[in-house]
Amino acid sequence: MCMQVCPPGSLLAEIKEGVRLKNNSKKLGEAELEIMQVIWKSREPVTSNYILKELQEKRKWQLSTLMTSLSRLCEKGFVSCDRTTGMNLYTSLIAENDYKATEGRSFLNRLYDNSIQNMVATLYGRKALQPSEVEELRAYLNELLKEDSTQEEE
């Protein structure tokens, strides 16, 4: 089980400091993602009991099941477990937005040949996107373009 604090200079310490995983093929399963979402949302180290309580409406797990999943997350390099306080405190080693960006790009590449246009066209064509959502996306993209042009002028 993952029971050590990351020593300075180690790969896990580098990841914790914001360096991206060298192996981007590590993915989270559905249950692992739910655990990571609890850890990311807390923004501070959490206990297994805290995670179990937060997941109780989604998952009817025993503590042993959660501990197995946390151990896997440690082995994959997604979380660290600190026992220096006398209890297991779990901390994310991967920033939520970094993971989402990597997984989003992988999803886009695998399903839509790396084309956002293809994705939107498919979703809209299959009525999975409503016209109001397309307008919301358009407004957001226009706002991004405004921000970019403002930054270029500075």
Side-chain angles (χ1 to χ4, degrees), residues 80-115:
S80 70
C81 179
D82 179 358
R83 295 193 72 206
T84 60
T85 62
M87 63 176 66
N88 293 354
L89 292 175
Y90 295 92
T91 305
S92 171
L93 297 174
I94 309 288
E96 181 178 12
N97 285 338
D98 289 344
Y99 182 77
K100 285 179 176 180
T102 300
E103 279 303 296
R105 181 54 67 187
S106 174
F107 172 81
L108 192 63
N109 188 41
R110 282 190 330 270
L111 291 178
Y112 299 101
D113 199 26
N114 219 22
S115 169

Side-chain angles (χ1 to χ4, degrees), residues 67-83:
M67 296 305 290
T68 299
S69 293
L70 285 168
S71 179
R72 261 196 324 267
L73 286 169
C74 282
E75 290 167 10
K76 288 181 168 184
F78 284 98
V79 299
S80 70
C81 179
D82 179 358
R83 295 193 72 206

